[in-house]
Structure formats: structure tokens, C-alpha cells
Amino acid sequence: MIADVIVDLQYGDCGKGKVAHTLCSKNNYTHVIRYNGGCNAGHTIYHEGKKFITHHIPCGVFWGIPSIIGPGCVIHPETFFKEIEELEAEGIPAGDLVFVSKNAHIITDFHRLEDKKDSEIGTTRRGNGPAYRDKYARKGVRAGEDGRFENYLIDLYEEIYENEDFEGLQILFEGAQGFGLDVDWGDYPYVTSSHCTVGSAILNGVPPKYIRDTWGVAKVYETYVGAKEFEGNDKIFDEIRELGGEYGSTTGRPRQINWLDYDLLKKASRINGINNLVVNKFDILEELDVWCLYSGLNLYEFKNKEDFKLWISSKLNCEVDEEMEIYFSGNKEFI
Ligand code: IMP
Ligand code: MG
């Protein structure tokens, strides 16, 4: 068995969906497993030229790969079934390919109602926080106890360790949210309620010795959605928001924008052991031809894209991992 892991190194919305979709097209994965979060996530995927937004369902379904909602996830049944219907209506056989771990936790309508009252964190109001709270308080309900999931349930231990072709298993772990929203490493309390690091994939049942590649995903600038003040004080961020379509794919909220924080990127790369990094939305800054980033207390401005790329790559290769492969990507559909 081998496993690759995808983690977002900023505040979500960096293009994990695209990276997962590209990796599925290039590797012979036997399973794709979502390892954290719930329908607070919104992954934008272009498949055969068509745009899809998924919340619960891992992107293996676009490639005929069995796709599992892992034990680290929370799941809202109505949203899940609606998503399957919508994908099937577009010709994606999600109903035959998607499975739910019996130990994943349910987001109830009660959790949603409670989350709708949030005014401090700026949550997606999808019931995530209350569902995880009840899980850890040992008051939660698990998918295995909910009859609606009868035809979808899977025991991930049996699926992996009692698999006749254990040696041939190739798993892609698809994460949700990002390092800056991680409940331990993010800017608490402006965080989500799950773990968004490589450690979270391991919690889903595949130990470190099987991990091959850890793919980090970032953007050339940063975005954040939520209650804290984040946006930089410059009109250019309005332009980036429009050009980059920086509006939440789950809630439609405008994302706050700022320049890339190199120190966060370095920290997230170290803590996740990133050996492949994709820095997305390169085309947006190319269009504006403005190249800035923060490091320490300084704002650096570069003359051109080559200088910007070289600065980031050489620092990461020197400070994190000299063998890290870094891809600057300006395409919506593939890396
Ligand atoms: P919650 O996960 O809905 O509780 O929201 C907590 C924080 O995480 C809020 O700032 C949300 O906007 C943010 N958040 C949650 N999921 C996502 C996501 O998939 N992308 C970006 N931000 C997210
Ligand atoms: Mg998103």
C-alpha cells in the first residue's frame, strides 16, 4: 500500500479540488478518502470542461475510483444525498462509488440550527462545530447508527487491512479547509473544528510508513473567509477578488484578500512534511503584474514574476526541503 496526501497550507480555497483531480488522472489510485471536515468545504473541480462544486464527496467519483468519507469527517445526510443526486444527473456515477465510514459523525439539523446563530467566528453555518463538539463530548451519532446510510456504509479497517490486494492499494487522501484554519495550528478561535494537517490523514487509519507524497496547496496571494479582519489595505485586493473570482463556493461570501505570507507557507510546509507544492492562481497576478509577499515584518515587492518565483522556491528549498518540487500554476483545470 502507498498513500498520497493533499493538504491546504493557507486558509482553504487554494485549489485542493484541482490538485486531487489532476493526481487522480495521473495515478492508479484504488481509493480516494476525505479525511476531515464536512459540508463546510467547497471544492471546485473542472471535469471534461464542466465546472462542479463538491462539498462532501471526494473527487475520485469523477474517475471511477471508490471514494470514501473517512472517520475523521462529519456528514450531513440531506446534503450528502442531494450531492449524489446532482452528480448523477450530470452523468457521474457517484451513488455506486461513494462510501461512508461507519464511524464518521452525523451533522444533525439541530447542529445546523445552532451554528446558524454564530456571530463570532464567521462559520459557514453548516453545523460543523456543534457536530465535532458532540463527537468529542461523546454525545454524537455515527453514520453506522443512521439507517439512511445503510447502502453506503464501509468499515475502513476491513476495506484496507482485509483487502485481498493490500499490497496494490494506492490511496489519495483529500483534505478540507487549511493549515490556517486548523484547530491546533490555525489562528484560534478563528478556525474550523477539525484537523487540517497531514496528521489528520493518519488519524483516518493509514500510518506514516505508507505515506509516499504529501502535496501542499497554496495560492500566490492569500484569502480568508470569516469574522476576523484579514484584508490588506490596498485597492488592488478588490481587483484580485474580481479577477480571481474570490467568493466562497459554499456560502458565496466575498473572501478577504492579502499578500502571501511566506512565513506561514514555510511553517505549514514544515509541519506537514510537504515534498510537492502547488502554488495556484499564478495567472491572476500575471494579469496584474504585481508581485508582493510578506516575510517577517516586511512587505517585499518584486520587479517581475521570475524574481518572485525564484525567491519563494530558493527559500523553501533552502529552509524546508531541498528536494521539494514546486509548481506555480495558472490554470483552472490542471496543475
Ligand atoms: P466552520 O468550519 O463552518 O465552523 O467555519 C470556521 C471557519 O472556517 C470560518 O472562518 C469559515 O469561513 C472557515 N471555513 C470552513 N470551511 C472552509 C472552506 O472549505 N474554505 C474556506 N474557509 C472555510
Ligand atoms: Mg473551498
Side-chain angles (χ1 to χ4, degrees):
M1 173 167 63
I2 58 105
D4 294 334
V5 184
I6 298 176
V7 283
D8 184 308
L9 304 178
Q10 294 161 341
Y11 299 88
D13 305 319
C14 287
K16 289 182 291 297
K18 180 184 90 171
V19 172
H21 194 258
T22 305
L23 292 183
C24 283
S25 74
K26 292 188 172 166
N27 293 282
N28 294 314
Y29 294 120
T30 55
H31 299 77
V32 179
I33 304 177
R34 254 289 289 282
Y35 58 82
N36 74 302
C39 47
N40 48 353
H43 290 175
T44 307
I45 288 160
Y46 289 84
H47 183 67
E48 293 172 350
K50 222 178 193 170
K51 181 177 176 177
F52 293 88
I53 294 177
T54 59
H55 301 285
H56 274 310
I57 296 186
C59 77
V61 296
F62 293 98
W63 299 99
I65 306 170
S67 294
I68 300 170
I69 298 188
C73 298
V74 289
I75 177 166
H76 183 250
E78 286 83 358
T79 307
F80 170 76
F81 289 114
K82 187 163 162 257
E83 213 175 313
I84 290 186
E85 254 173 46
E86 286 170 0
L87 286 168
E88 298 233 313
E90 297 290 340
I92 310 293
D96 299 332
L97 292 167
V98 78
F99 300 92
V100 178
S101 287
K102 60 186 194 185
N103 41 350
H105 274 251
I106 302 286
I107 303 175
T108 64
D109 291 334
F110 191 71
H111 291 144
R112 289 208 149 194
L113 277 176
E114 188 182 342
D115 202 15
K116 285 216 161 64
K117 296 185 199 131
D118 161 75
S119 60
E120 277 160 28
I121 306 300
T123 73
T124 59
R125 303 186 160 196
R126 295 298 189 274
N128 235 62
Y132 276 110
R133 177 202 59 208
D134 282 354
K135 162 178 166 167
Y136 287 103
R138 293 155 295 168
K139 292 177 187 162
V141 178
R142 305 206 282 183
E145 299 166 61
D146 186 325
R148 289 172 287 185
F149 289 116
E150 202 181 338
N151 298 325
Y152 293 91
L153 291 179
I154 202 167
D155 180 317
L156 203 46
Y157 175 75
E158 289 170 7
E159 180 66 18
I160 295 175
Y161 297 95
E162 290 172 11
N163 197 303
E164 279 174 17
D165 188 25
F166 175 81
E167 290 298 328
L169 292 182
Q170 297 197 31
I171 296 173
L172 178 64
F173 279 106
E174 183 183 317
Q177 289 83 47
F179 185 77
L181 295 170
D182 177 83
V183 64
D184 289 330
W185 292 102
D187 188 11
Y188 194 90
Y190 298 102
V191 295
T192 191
S193 300
S194 66
H195 298 281
C196 319
T197 64
V198 66
S200 186
I202 290 159
L203 286 173
N204 278 255
V206 173
K209 68 176 175 176
Y210 297 111
I211 307 280
R212 177 179 62 179
D213 291 325
T214 304
W215 285 79
V217 190
K219 282 198 289 213
V220 279
Y221 51 84
E222 286 183 2
T223 62
Y224 159 84
V225 213
K228 73 174 175 184
E229 254 192 56
F230 182 84
E231 185 147 312
N233 185 17
D234 191 325
K235 284 219 164 49
I236 196 164
F237 297 126
D238 288 327
E239 283 181 68
I240 293 179
R241 185 162 28 250
E242 293 315 311
L243 275 175
E246 296 295 354
Y247 292 87
S249 51
T250 298
T251 58
R253 291 178 292 176
R255 296 174 182 149
Q256 299 189 57
I257 307 198
N258 213 332
W259 299 121
L260 180 141
D261 176 352
Y262 170 75
D263 300 341
L264 178 73
L265 187 63
K266 173 170 109 180
K267 182 175 176 182
S269 298
R270 283 176 159 168
I271 282 177
N272 286 294
I274 300 303
N275 63 352
N276 286 273
L277 170 65
V278 183
V279 187
N280 280 320
K281 293 272 177 114
F282 199 72
D283 51 327
I284 306 303
L285 290 195
E286 254 181 326
E287 195 151 336
L288 296 167
D289 202 24
V290 181
W291 303 96
C292 294
L293 57 77
Y294 296 109
S295 180
L297 296 174
N298 304 312
L299 175 65
Y300 291 84
E301 184 165 1
F302 299 86
K303 278 202 213 81
N304 53 49
K305 63 182 176 189
E306 281 75 26
D307 287 0
F308 178 82
K309 283 203 277 194
L310 186 65
W311 194 93
I312 295 175
S313 306
S314 52
K315 289 270 275 185
L316 287 173
N317 284 139
C318 167
E319 296 180 339
V320 180
D321 179 349
E322 59 183 2
E323 280 168 19
M324 189 198 286
E325 297 276 355
I326 303 169
Y327 309 84
F328 289 88
S329 172
N331 190 294
K332 274 186 178 160
E333 303 190 22
F334 45 84
I335 296 172

